[in-house]
Amino acid sequence: MNNYGIPQDAVITIAGTVGVGKSTLTQALADRLNFRTSFENVEHNPYLDKFYHDFQRWSFHLQIYFLAERFKEQKRMFEYGGGFVQDRSIYEDVDIFAKMHEEQGTMTDEDFNTYSELFNAMVMTPYFPKPDVLIYLECDYDEVINRIQQRGRQMEIDTDPQYWQKLFQRYETWISQFNVCPVVRVNINEYDLHADPDSLDVVINKIKSVIDTYRKVDQR
C-alpha cells in the first residue's frame, strides 16, 4: 500500500477524448502514488502525421500500430505485476477509433474485421490484465477544442472540426455502455494540478473507494 491506501498492484487507466488531459493526469497520479506510467507512443509513431492527412489511406496502419504498442504495454504491466497508471485504454482504440473509421468508410470492412480478430485474440492471452478502475475524463466540447489549440500539434489543429465533434460524441456513447471494469467519471474542472495540487486528492479518494469496493466483491 502507498500513503493513500491504494494497492501497489493496481492498474489505473485514464480514458477520454483527444486533448482532454489524459497524459497530464497519468503522470500526476503516478507521481503521487509511486506507480509506473504507461504512455502511448505518439512522438515516434510513423503513421500519425500521415493519418491526419489521409484517413482512408492510413487508418488501418495507424490502428494496427497502436494495437501492437498497447499490447506490448499490457504485457509489460502483467510482467511487473501491476502498479501502473495507463494513458488511454486499448478498448478505446477498438470501440471508438477503429469502429468510427469503419462506419464512415475510411477503413474497409475487411480491414476492420482483421483488426477486430487480432484484438480478440490478444484479449484471450494471459498478458491482458483488465484495469482495476477506468477514470473517464469528461468536459464540454468547446474545452476540448481549446485544449487541442493550446497543445499546438499542427496536424490536430488542421483537422476538420467535424472529426473532433464526431469523436467527442462517440466517447460519450461509449462510456455509457462500457462494462469491462469499474468507471470513475471525473470532470476536468474538478481539479487543477497547477493552481491546487491537493485537488488531486479528490480523484485519488474516488479511485480508492471503487477499488476497495470491487476487490471485496471479488474476494467473496
Side-chain angles (χ1 to χ4, degrees):
M1 293 284 184
N2 44 54
N3 292 336
Y4 292 92
I6 293 179
Q8 287 297 115
D9 63 346
V11 174
I12 300 166
T13 298
I14 316 293
T17 192
V18 173
V20 78
K22 296 184 297 297
S23 298
T24 302
L25 182 59
T26 295
Q27 189 64 63
L29 281 174
D31 290 344
R32 191 72 66 88
L33 300 175
N34 196 28
F35 274 25
R36 298 180 179 88
T37 55
S38 175
F39 289 104
E40 61 180 1
N41 191 349
V42 173
E43 298 303 323
H44 299 96
N45 188 321
Y47 299 110
L48 195 58
D49 189 57
K50 296 175 183 179
F51 162 77
Y52 278 112
H53 286 92
D54 190 343
F55 288 166
Q56 190 160 0
R57 173 70 179 84
W58 296 105
S59 64
F60 178 69
H61 300 74
L62 179 69
Q63 291 306 133
I64 288 293
Y65 176 84
F66 274 133
L67 187 63
E69 290 296 304
R70 235 177 285 286
F71 182 73
K72 286 189 285 187
E73 285 297 289
Q74 291 288 136
K75 185 173 183 290
R76 184 168 75 97
M77 290 189 290
F78 172 83
E79 290 172 344
Y80 270 111
F84 277 84
V85 184
Q86 182 183 30
D87 174 16
R88 181 171 281 153
S89 74
I90 199 168
Y91 308 102
E92 293 161 79
D93 287 324
V94 176
D95 297 330
I96 297 177
F97 289 91
K99 187 61 178 175
M100 180 174 73
H101 285 289
E102 189 251 352
E103 290 181 355
Q104 69 184 19
T106 47
M107 182 184 293
T108 68
D109 292 342
E110 293 82 2
D111 284 348
F112 178 74
N113 288 337
T114 297
Y115 174 85
S116 299
E117 288 176 3
L118 182 57
F119 166 76
N120 290 331
M122 289 178 174
V123 172
M124 298 303 293
T125 70
Y127 307 117
F128 210 92
K130 294 179 181 178
D132 287 271
V133 61
L134 182 140
I135 302 172
Y136 179 68
L137 295 182
E138 50 190 3
C139 64
D140 295 332
Y141 172 70
D142 289 341
E143 290 177 304
V144 170
I145 296 302
N146 288 337
R147 286 183 173 228
I148 289 174
Q149 294 287 338
Q150 292 171 7
R151 184 156 67 178
R153 291 178 183 166
Q154 198 60 43
M155 58 189 173
E156 294 177 348
I157 293 172
D158 293 340
T159 298
D160 188 337
Q162 287 189 354
Y163 175 79
W164 302 124
Q165 180 71 54
K166 290 178 182 177
L167 192 62
F168 182 84
Q169 293 171 345
R170 281 183 175 269
Y171 261 98
E172 291 297 298
T173 301
W174 171 77
I175 196 60
S176 67
Q177 302 170 348
F178 183 80
N179 59 6
V180 173
C181 70
V183 173
V184 171
R185 288 175 176 262
V186 176
N187 191 287
I188 62 172
N189 296 311
E190 291 181 28
Y191 60 92
D192 189 330
L193 299 177
H194 301 291
D196 183 14
D198 288 341
S199 63
L200 188 60
D201 289 349
V202 176
V203 178
I204 293 174
N205 289 334
K206 288 183 178 182
I207 295 170
K208 180 182 184 307
S209 177
V210 167
I211 292 178
D212 286 349
T213 298
Y214 280 86
R215 288 206 173 189
K216 286 177 181 177
V217 171
D218 288 342
Q219 290 172 359
R220 290 178 182 174

